[in-house]
């Protein structure tokens, strides 16, 4: 079971998950350090990355950020790789910080070890 250290660039330190992303069907090449966000329904890519990767738009979705104001955003199909585990999810692009939402987290077993500033992730076989 991989163990990941919390990122100290956040105050207080926060769980982040290193992952690679790319077009569905391609080997994901772009490495991101995504903030684990159990309150996010969907994962979020940094603004501009879907265009750079030429990710397919698979719909539109009203998304409310921390300000609570819903905005219709393109929904992208993206292949995500965590270690050797790969999956295709739908994600939006908003702001500079990548987020891992429940669309990914609900497929994993995640143990937050706050006192140790670490996170264990049990990946599916």
């Amino acid at each position: 079971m991989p163990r990941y250290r919390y990122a100290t660039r956040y105050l207080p330190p926060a769980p982040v998950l290193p992952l690679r992303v790319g077009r569905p069907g391609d080997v994901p090449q772009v490495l991101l350090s995504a903030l684990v966000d159990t309150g996010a329904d969907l994962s979020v890519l940094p603004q501009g990355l879907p265009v750079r990767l030429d990710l397919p738009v698979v719909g539109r979705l009203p998304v409310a950020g921390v300000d609570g104001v819903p905005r219709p955003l393109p929904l992208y199909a993206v292949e995500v790789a965590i270690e050797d585990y790969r999956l295709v999810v739908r994600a939006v692009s908003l702001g500079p910080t990548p987020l891992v939402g429940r669309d990914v987290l609900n497929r994993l077993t995640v143990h937050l070890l706050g006192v140790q500033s670490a996170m264990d992730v049990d990946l599916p076989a």
Side-chain angles (χ1 to χ4, degrees):
M1 179 178 325
R3 176 167 286 183
Y4 303 99
R5 301 293 306 162
Y6 280 18
T8 56
R9 69 179 173 272
Y10 298 101
L11 193 57
V16 295
L17 189 59
L19 49 85
R20 290 171 286 122
V21 296
R23 283 184 59 83
D26 292 347
V27 175
Q29 297 291 332
V30 176
L31 181 63
L32 299 175
S33 181
L35 182 65
V36 173
D37 187 346
T38 60
D41 297 338
L42 294 173
S43 294
V44 177
L45 299 170
Q47 200 151 2
L49 186 60
V51 171
R52 192 175 101 201
L53 296 177
D54 193 29
L55 297 179
V57 175
V58 295
R60 292 188 71 77
L61 186 70
V63 174
V66 294
D67 62 4
V69 178
R71 297 173 185 82
L73 294 177
L75 195 57
Y76 300 96
V78 59
E79 185 138 349
V80 175
I82 305 163
E83 305 283 337
D84 291 328
Y85 176 63
R86 289 171 58 173
L87 66 159
V88 175
V89 298
R90 298 176 310 155
V92 295
S93 180
L94 180 68
T97 304
L99 303 176
V100 174
R102 291 190 315 275
D103 58 327
V104 173
L105 295 172
N106 285 350
R107 300 177 191 206
L108 312 172
T109 301
V110 177
H111 303 275
L112 299 178
L113 308 168
V115 173
Q116 298 174 27
S117 291
M119 171 181 62
D120 289 341
V121 178
D122 190 10
L123 300 169

